[in-house]
Amino acid sequence: MRERPTPKNHEIKLGEEEFIVSKTDTSGKITYANRVFMEICGYSERELLGVQHNIIRHPDMPRAVFRLLWDTLKEKKEFFGFVKNLCKDGSYYWVFANVTPDIDNGGRVVGYYSVRRQPPLSAIRTIEPIYQEMLRIEKSAGGVKQGIAKAQAYLQDLLAGKGTDYEKFALELYG
């Protein structure tokens, strides 16, 4: 297993016209990565292919967001959301992600496509404190499963108070 890089306070910005594209198998192992993905995260194609996509998971990201992502994909629906990723050198970058199940002619999910683009700064300013609170909840809950459940409940309550759900909220923030 690779050792995760130590996060540093250096942000890399995805260009307005750049798209990060990757594909994974059903277990989340990368089967395709475009050049923009490799350039931004700093990993070569050889280092990415066959590796879990969470190789770029930043420790500032609440696990509850990824639980929401996987729960959405299990329903054969596409996921929209904001994600902070970790580069090989410890830098980070924010993306607005769209993850879509790859469904074969028989209706079986055979993998996932992900397209990520530059998020608006206003969206990150809104979502970052929410994620920080979710992360705080996860860490103080006394266990991983309990933490994820409590952070999900916090997010659902927050969004219910706004009369929305995560997908609508994310799409609205993206603009």
Side-chain angles (χ1 to χ4, degrees), residues 93-122:
Y93 60 101
W94 279 97
V95 295
F96 179 69
N98 172 230
V99 185
T100 308
D102 180 12
I103 301 172
D104 71 10
N105 292 336
R108 292 179 312 136
V109 175
V110 294
Y112 303 97
Y113 289 105
S114 181
V115 178
R116 279 99 65 206
R117 59 194 61 133
Q118 180 188 72
L121 183 56
S122 60

Side-chain angles (χ1 to χ4, degrees), residues 18-83:
E18 291 181 308
F19 290 89
I20 294 174
V21 179
S22 61
K23 185 175 179 187
T24 69
D25 64 14
T26 55
S27 70
K29 289 184 181 170
I30 299 170
T31 59
Y32 171 78
N34 74 343
R35 296 222 181 278
V36 175
F37 184 19
M38 291 181 271
E39 289 168 8
I40 294 284
C41 74
Y43 289 102
S44 69
E45 183 177 54
R46 185 176 183 179
E47 291 173 302
L48 290 172
L49 295 183
V51 175
Q52 288 295 131
H53 206 287
N54 68 8
I55 187 173
I56 58 167
R57 187 176 77 77
H58 197 285
D60 288 351
M61 279 299 298
R63 291 176 183 263
V65 173
F66 294 109
R67 173 69 53 84
L68 177 61
L69 178 146
W70 283 108
D71 288 349
T72 302
L73 294 175
K74 284 178 189 171
E75 294 177 12
K76 296 184 181 179
K77 295 179 182 175
E78 61 185 327
F79 172 85
F80 296 92
F82 296 94
V83 180

Side-chain angles (χ1 to χ4, degrees), residues 7-12 87 89-93:
K8 57 186 181 183
N9 194 23
H10 178 255
E11 183 175 8
I12 296 175
C87 300
D89 71 358
S91 300
Y92 69 92
Y93 60 101

